[in-house]
Amino acid sequence: MEFDWTTFTLEIINFLILVWILKRFLYRPVLDVIARRRAGVEKTLADAKRIEAEAGEFKQRCERELAQWEKDKEAAQARLREELAAERGRLMAALETSVAEERERRRVLDERRQHDLQRSVEEQGIAQGAAFSARLLSRVATPELEARLYALLLEDLRGLRAEDKRAVAEAAAAPGLQLRVQSAFALDEGRRAELARVLAEATGKTLPVEYRENPELLAGFHVSIGPWILHANLRDELKFFSGALRHAG
Amino acid sequence: MEAAAIWFHLGPFAITSVVATTWGVMLALTLFCWLATRHLTLDPGPLQTTLEGVVSAIETAIDAVLPGRAQLLLPFIGTLWIYILISNLLGIIPGLHSPMGNLSVTSGLALLVFFSVHWFGVRSEGVRRYLRHYLSPSPILLPFHLISEVTRTAALAVRLFGNIMSLEMAALLVLLVAGLLAPVPLLMLHIVEATVQAYIFGMLALIYVAGAMQSQQNLERNEEGDGNG
């Protein structure tokens, strides 16, 4: 175990040189790359935290917007409900108006139908009444009634008013005119002569007269002087009566 | 243990096999580190991962003893560990001897540790404030502090030298007595012993430096406590 000062001194120098070498070629590069990696990791972590913070902020903003959207939605729904209620009210009012109009129209139609029905019933009643009267009068249509109606005919012809006389005269003035006299029963010669004389007085001239028997008249006479006609029979009287009833209804 | 053989003379200096081995270690470490750290990337391969693991482990060990000063002490303490470990393991290779089996080498390293303790202590707090801790807690203890400084440095040198020298000598004796295969378990023990001795030397150096730096901090803390009291 010898102590060599040269070795001792050189070992000290060698070690100091080795310290420098390892510091230059080992510790510094390795520590640098570790520091760079650590910086990268820290930067990544910082970025991650920043992204997390941004994500949190974005989440909060989204939540706020969602809350605002919920409010807007509720307000819109409230407005929609109000509009629907108003629209429903308007439609209900229109429907009620339409229903009222329809009801009024139906009422008018019902009234008209009722009126028509009533009128039909009345006409039927009138017709039945007329038929009944006709049957009843046909049973009382006797030559005696015919004689009575003949008297009334003569009376009417003699009692014509002035304007009627003028009309009869104008009608009789037609050239080639032939008077027609219809009767329910056959007229004897005496009555024919008397009637011809009364007609001549009424027309103011003597015209040929055609006599014809018409049982449909029931009783009485139907005298035609051109367009001028004198009714003195039950059939025409019933017609006048029925027409008057219809007009009255 | 015979004296180291002189290989050649460099001027007035006689270059022994120990110094030549040290140069070889230095050259090998330099080449390896230069080649390994030429293209370091952020996505490391197996070799870069190993290097980063070694450096990080050394830094963590220093930081555990002296928090916040790992960057400052890493070159010195780390080089002690790496150099001593590799030198110790050289003894396994037939024909080579560990430089740590030479008292001149371990004494040189111990002397470096001795000066490093004071260097880092003074660098940390200044000369006057550093020297004050020799008078703490009482000036009476100054001789004991001085004796402690010398003896622990001598112990540091002799412990490493004695262990490595005795380990190689034991392996040699077993090889001579028991034959070729018998020293294999002893060589495995050599690996463990080489690692442990490197760790002990570096850790003791670290503790001494940390003691020098923290003793000043403790002194200040005590003074602050007295002032507040």
Side-chain angles (χ1 to χ4, degrees):
Chain A
M1 187 174 70
E2 293 182 357
F3 190 86
D4 182 14
W5 286 101
T6 303
T7 303
F8 174 78
T9 307
L10 288 176
E11 279 300 326
I12 292 174
I13 296 170
N14 288 341
F15 184 80
L16 292 176
I17 293 171
L18 186 61
V19 168
W20 181 84
I21 289 171
L22 291 186
K23 182 178 180 181
R24 170 71 178 80
F25 292 107
L26 180 63
Y27 305 133
R28 188 180 297 167
V30 172
L31 288 177
D32 284 346
V33 76
I34 291 174
R36 276 192 285 133
R37 185 182 298 115
R38 188 173 293 145
V41 170
E42 288 175 354
K43 182 177 180 302
T44 304
L45 283 174
D47 291 342
K49 287 181 180 177
R50 180 179 55 78
I51 291 171
E52 184 183 12
E54 290 177 357
E57 185 180 352
F58 181 71
K59 181 185 175 186
Q60 289 179 352
R61 192 165 69 241
C62 286
E63 288 175 351
R64 287 198 299 271
E65 289 181 355
L66 278 176
Q68 184 63 36
W69 289 344
E70 283 293 328
K71 287 182 181 177
D72 294 344
K73 187 178 75 175
E74 290 176 358
Q77 285 179 342
R79 283 199 303 275
L80 180 63
R81 281 195 293 270
E82 291 176 357
E83 290 176 359
L84 284 175
E87 183 67 15
R88 184 171 60 187
R90 188 183 64 78
L91 289 176
M92 286 297 291
L95 183 62
E96 287 176 357
T97 303
S98 175
V99 168
E101 289 176 351
E102 180 67 17
R103 190 181 294 125
E104 181 64 18
R105 190 176 66 82
R106 294 301 298 266
R107 189 186 62 75
V108 170
L109 284 176
D110 288 344
E111 285 181 353
R112 184 179 299 169
R113 193 176 296 118
Q114 190 72 21
H115 179 70
D116 292 343
L117 181 62
Q118 185 178 355
R119 187 169 182 178
S120 174
V121 169
E122 287 175 353
E123 286 182 351
Q124 285 181 359
I126 290 170
Q128 287 179 355
F132 178 74
S133 301
R135 279 198 303 274
L136 180 63
L137 290 174
S138 66
R139 293 181 63 185
V140 300
T142 58
E144 289 77 15
L145 181 59
E146 179 82 358
R148 182 57 185 156
L149 290 173
Y150 177 74
L152 286 174
L153 174 62
L154 294 181
E155 186 180 345
D156 290 343
L157 286 173
R158 285 170 181 153
L160 288 176
R161 292 174 296 180
E163 59 267 24
D164 291 335
K165 282 185 178 178
R166 279 196 300 274
V168 169
E170 289 175 359
L177 179 67
Q178 186 177 14
L179 302 180
R180 287 189 181 88
V181 175
Q182 296 182 39
S183 62
F185 298 95
L187 283 174
D188 56 13
E189 287 300 323
R191 286 184 176 176
R192 287 187 179 184
E194 186 182 12
L195 182 56
R197 191 172 56 252
V198 172
L199 287 172
E201 289 175 359
T203 59
K205 58 182 179 181
T206 302
L207 294 171
V209 179
E210 179 189 2
Y211 295 99
R212 199 175 61 177
E213 194 173 338
N214 186 1
E216 291 182 354
L217 300 178
L218 297 178
F221 303 90
H222 180 271
V223 179
S224 301
I225 306 172
W228 194 85
I229 296 172
L230 179 61
H231 302 278
N233 57 80
L234 293 180
R235 186 195 66 180
D236 293 336
E237 289 301 327
L238 283 173
K239 285 183 178 176
F240 293 150
F241 178 69
S242 298
L245 283 177
R246 286 192 184 92
H247 289 301
Chain B
M1 188 88 186
E2 62 185 17
I6 297 173
W7 281 16
F8 59 92
H9 285 81
L10 197 64
F13 302 109
I15 305 303
T16 60
S17 59
V18 173
V19 175
T21 305
T22 302
W23 286 347
V25 171
M26 290 172 62
L27 182 62
L29 278 174
T30 302
L31 286 174
F32 174 76
C33 291
W34 178 64
L35 292 173
T37 60
R38 274 190 311 170
H39 303 295
L40 295 180
T41 61
L42 294 178
D43 184 18
L47 179 60
Q48 183 179 340
T49 303
T50 305
L51 286 177
E52 289 182 8
V54 170
V55 174
S56 296
I58 295 172
E59 188 180 24
T60 303
I62 297 171
D63 195 66
V65 176
L66 201 60
R69 300 297 182 94
Q71 294 283 334
L72 178 65
L73 297 176
L74 176 65
F76 181 68
I77 302 298
T79 305
L80 275 179
W81 268 324
I82 293 171
Y83 174 59
I84 294 172
L85 176 65
I86 291 174
S87 298
N88 289 348
L89 292 176
L90 279 179
I92 301 174
I93 300 172
L96 290 180
H97 295 284
S98 172
M100 301 305 149
N102 190 294
L103 184 61
S104 304
V105 176
T106 58
S107 298
L109 295 179
L111 190 67
L112 280 175
V113 171
F114 174 80
F115 285 113
S116 296
V117 169
H118 303 301
W119 164 253
F120 286 114
V122 171
R123 180 177 174 179
S124 177
E125 300 299 333
V127 179
R128 292 174 60 84
R129 297 180 66 181
Y130 172 72
L131 292 178
R132 280 173 60 191
H133 88 275
Y134 285 105
L135 304 177
S136 173
S138 171
I140 301 173
L141 296 177
L142 177 61
F144 298 98
H145 280 301
L146 296 177
I147 293 171
S148 170
E149 291 289 340
V150 175
T151 54
R152 76 181 185 185
T153 303
L156 203 60
V158 172
R159 181 189 302 112
L160 180 59
F161 160 71
N163 278 287
I164 300 304
M165 185 269 290
S166 61
L167 196 63
E168 289 186 351
M169 188 173 290
L172 183 61
L173 289 175
V174 171
L175 180 63
L176 291 174
V177 172
L180 187 62
L181 295 179
V184 173
L186 201 64
L187 292 176
M188 295 176 68
L189 177 64
H190 190 137
I191 295 173
V192 176
E193 180 70 13
T195 307
V196 169
Q197 287 304 320
Y199 178 76
I200 287 174
F201 193 96
M203 184 55 71
L204 284 174
L206 175 61
I207 290 171
Y208 295 158
V209 173
M213 298 173 78
Q214 288 181 339
S215 63
Q216 185 61 27
Q217 295 173 2
N218 293 334
L219 181 62
E220 290 176 351
R221 206 175 295 123
N222 292 335
E223 289 179 349
E224 287 176 0
D226 295 340
N228 294 331

